[in-house]
Structures are given as structure tokens and as C-alpha cells.
Amino acid sequence: MENDFNGGLTPPEDEYNNKKISNSDNLIQMIYHAVANPKGYRDFLDLSKKRFKRFMCIIMFIVTLMVVGLQIIIFIINVGGIRNFFGNKLPDFVVKDGEIISEGTFDIKMGEFRVLFDAREEYISVSELKDGYTYITIGRKSVNVYVQGTNGRYFSTFSRKINAFLQDGMTNKKLASLTPAFYLALILAFVLRMGLFFLKYYILALIYGFYAKGLNMAIGNIHSDQEITRICLVSQTLGIFLVNINKAVGTPIPGFIASFVGVFLTIRRISIYFSNYIGDKGLNA
């Protein structure tokens, strides 16, 4: 071994299977490298900031598409488009004095979301919610968003009066005329969800960083904090895909088990990467 990487030990070239990534590699190659070659994660440190950010954006895009986007696209296709849904599928309604007047109801599932509409009641009771969905409920007087806590109970994260969204006199036909604005809102919501996914996995990378920093100290602190964060972000790739594919297909594996597997895979990959320098057989696969 020879001193080469920031003053640390560099493993023999064949341990990387002579497979390097560079700024010229396409994103598919980079994703494959992140999933299948933890020994070579140091190559991600050589990528430009722009290239690495692009890599992370595509990972978050794929995850958001799996969990949210595909279900929304399928729903839009099934109802013949948003305009057709508002004009012909949605129960007839009119907004008067800040309340929705309608005798119809609907219940729509879109991936992890479920939309309930029932204007016969002022608001939809929490007791009617189940199955682990994130609920958007529309009652006569209010719109609420409910999520399920760790104790299994639902709690409201958003609540607004109907007149905050729909003016008096609004009907199905008028709502259908606002279709372009709804498509724009869906795109913005998709981008926002991507941002939330990135924030989630960035925070997790900082947490995994405590473990990685311990290994980094054992090899003489050859990596900066920024480099360790990159390694921890890349190390999550396989776990991110497995956990969110499980969500996308309806959680055939209980969520807490999938999350545990994701954590294990990430820690395992961090360990395998640092084992290049530590040479600890117990860390190697």
C-alpha cells in the first residue's frame, strides 16, 4: 500500500475492480456504482459539486416518482384528466357562505395519499381514518391533512376553512376551468416532496456521520466532514430504494422492518468503504 489519498492509505487498484466513476460517467453508471460498489465510494469525492448535486437530485426524483408521482399519473389517466375529473367525476357541488353544499361523496387513493370528500358533515372525524395513509379530508366547512403518528393515532398537520381555497359561487364547471393551475400545483408539490426527501436523507447522513467519523479517526482523519457527508449520502442509496419501493407497492414488508433493513444496509456500506483503509476482516464482506 502507498500513501496517496489525502495522506491516508490507498488500497490496491484491483480492489476497485478497475471500475472508476468520473464527471463524464452518466447517471445510470453512477447509480449502479452507488448501489453495487461500496468499496469505490471514494470516487464520488472526486466528482464536481455540480455533478454530485445532479446525482442526488436524480435519486430524489426517482424516489418521489416511485412513492408519489406514478400513483398521481395513474390516477389522472384513469379519470381522463383533471378537467374531466372536476367536471364529470366529482360530485356536483356549490360553495355558499364559506361552505360546500353537496350530497355526494368520494374516496380516492393515490399512493400514500387518500382523499376523502363528504360535505354532509362539517369535517371528517379522525375515527374514520385507518390503514396508514396520509389523509386529505374535505368536509362542509374545512380541509384537513392527517398523518399517522408512531402510536398509530392520527393527528392534523394542516387545517383551513373552505373559503381559504374556494370562493362563494364555485362550482364543478368553474373548478374545471382552473385545471392549468392544478397541474402547476401538482408540479410544485412534486418538487417540494423531492426537497423534503433530500432534507430527510441529508439529516440521516449527518447522523450516520457520527459512526463514519469514528472510523475516519481510526485511519488518521483522512476525510473532511464534507467528504464524510458525501459518503454517507451515497451509502444510503440502496436502502433508500428498498424502503421506498416497499412503500410504492403497498408495504408488503412492515415499514419498521424495511427501515431497519435500510439502516443496516447503510451502516454496512459505510463499514465496507472504510475497511479499505482499516483492513479489518470483520468489516469486510
Side-chain angles (χ1 to χ4, degrees):
M1 295 203 179
E2 60 181 11
N3 289 329
D4 181 59
F5 187 67
N6 292 340
L9 293 175
T10 302
E13 195 68 27
D14 61 0
E15 289 190 25
Y16 291 98
N17 297 317
N18 294 316
K19 173 60 183 171
K20 299 287 186 177
I21 62 169
S22 69
N23 289 304
S24 63
D25 281 339
N26 63 45
L27 289 167
I28 300 300
Q29 289 174 308
M30 295 169 67
I31 292 171
Y32 175 80
H33 195 74
V35 169
N37 189 23
K39 283 182 173 292
Y41 281 173
R42 76 168 192 176
D43 297 331
F44 282 93
L45 306 181
D46 297 327
L47 295 178
S48 65
K49 289 184 179 179
K50 180 179 180 180
R51 191 69 172 168
F52 187 76
K53 287 179 181 177
R54 190 178 301 173
F55 166 75
M56 290 306 304
C57 282
I58 201 68
I59 294 296
M60 296 305 110
F61 175 83
I62 292 172
V63 169
T64 309
L65 186 64
M66 285 192 302
V67 177
V68 180
L70 288 178
Q71 287 78 12
I72 293 176
I73 292 170
I74 291 171
F75 165 75
I76 291 173
I77 293 173
N78 287 339
V79 299
I82 296 294
R83 187 183 299 276
N84 184 62
F85 173 70
F86 287 149
N88 302 312
K89 302 290 186 178
L90 197 65
D92 290 336
F93 75 92
V94 63
V95 178
K96 184 177 181 180
D97 297 328
E99 298 183 7
I100 295 178
I101 299 175
S102 176
E103 294 299 320
T105 65
F106 70 82
D107 178 354
I108 300 172
K109 298 176 182 178
M110 293 186 295
E112 62 181 349
F113 294 97
R114 189 168 178 176
V115 183
L116 299 181
F117 173 91
D118 189 349
R120 297 172 300 180
E121 302 181 27
E122 290 189 12
Y123 60 90
I124 295 175
S125 172
V126 176
S127 62
E128 299 180 37
L129 312 183
K130 57 183 179 179
D131 300 333
Y133 288 94
T134 294
Y135 280 88
I136 301 173
T137 66
I138 306 170
R140 186 169 69 249
K141 291 187 176 182
S142 65
V143 175
N144 295 278
V145 177
Y146 294 96
V147 298
Q148 193 173 39
T150 55
N151 59 1
R153 297 180 181 179
Y154 278 90
F155 62 94
S156 176
T157 59
F158 179 89
S159 181
R160 292 290 187 277
K161 297 294 185 182
I162 290 297
N163 56 18
F165 300 97
L166 303 174
Q167 298 178 343
D168 282 357
M170 181 62 70
T171 63
N172 298 64
K173 289 184 178 180
K174 290 182 179 180
L175 194 59
S177 69
L178 298 176
T179 297
F182 278 93
Y183 279 116
L184 178 60
L186 286 175
I187 293 172
L188 293 176
F190 185 90
V191 173
L192 177 61
R193 192 58 188 271
M194 277 182 61
L196 292 175
F197 270 126
F198 175 76
L199 179 61
K200 171 184 176 180
Y201 292 115
Y202 183 80
I203 291 173
L204 286 174
L206 296 178
I207 295 173
Y208 290 126
F210 289 107
Y211 173 68
K213 286 177 182 178
L215 298 178
N216 190 45
M217 288 179 61
I219 58 176
N221 290 316
I222 68 171
H223 292 308
S224 66
D225 288 349
Q226 185 177 11
E227 289 173 336
I228 287 176
T229 300
R230 272 201 188 192
I231 291 168
C232 291
L233 282 169
V234 175
S235 297
Q236 294 182 76
T237 306
L238 179 58
I240 288 173
F241 285 156
L242 292 180
V243 169
N244 289 289
I245 287 173
N246 185 57
K247 286 183 180 179
V249 299
T251 60
I253 301 173
F256 74 93
I257 294 178
S259 296
F260 176 81
V261 171
V263 170
F264 172 79
L265 289 173
T266 299
I267 293 176
R268 180 68 172 168
R269 273 156 171 67
I270 294 172
S271 299
I272 291 173
Y273 169 73
F274 279 100
S275 72
N276 287 324
Y277 305 97
I278 297 175
D280 186 344
K281 300 299 182 182
L283 293 175
N284 218 333

